[in-house]
Amino acid sequence: LCRTSRSLWPPHPRPSTSRLASPALSEAMSDSQITLVSNDGRSFQVDEEVALQSVTLKNMIDDTGAEGPIPLPTISGDILERVIDYCKYHASNTTPNAETKAWDDNFVRVEQEVLFNLILAANFLDIKPLLDHTCMTVANMIKGKTPEEIRETFNISNDFTEDEEIEVRRENAWCEDR
């Protein structure tokens, strides 16, 4: 085996710190810090265990190592800070229960712009639980509303002409509540 960067050759999956046999080795891996840099130049030092909740970051670390900072050109510092808070919480609270659900529900009680930026960040970083929860929040905001109410909620202008709207309603009459 030859060691290049942080990966071993031949390649094999990196063990999760929670499954390592040696507590000392597990602690040594959790002490490893990753530097993430947002699109506005803010740097964040995070434990590797926290960063590895992101499939995107895990793949980048596995492929190239984590000796240098990892740029995240699509995520602002404010949003990245929130995502890191989410990952830190879930790194130390791995068992879903009423407390974590309440924490998650409170976490997504934010302005719409922040919520949508969290969705984009969770999607880019491939953090499925965060993406699922933020998207479910938006779905719940939409549930039971008319198209007009949805447009108002999300400040969407109606770009259909009256004739086009009538046609769309006619074509989609099958899905209307009766």
Side-chain angles (χ1 to χ4, degrees), residues 4 40 53 63 68 72 106 130 150 164 177:
T4 58
D40 52 4
Q53 290 187 52
D63 291 346
L72 300 171
N106 189 49
L130 178 57
I150 294 169
E164 289 172 329
D177 289 336

Side-chain angles (χ1 to χ4, degrees), residues 68-81:
I70 298 174
L72 300 171
T74 63
I75 305 172
S76 73
D78 291 341
I79 297 301
L80 183 55
E81 186 172 15

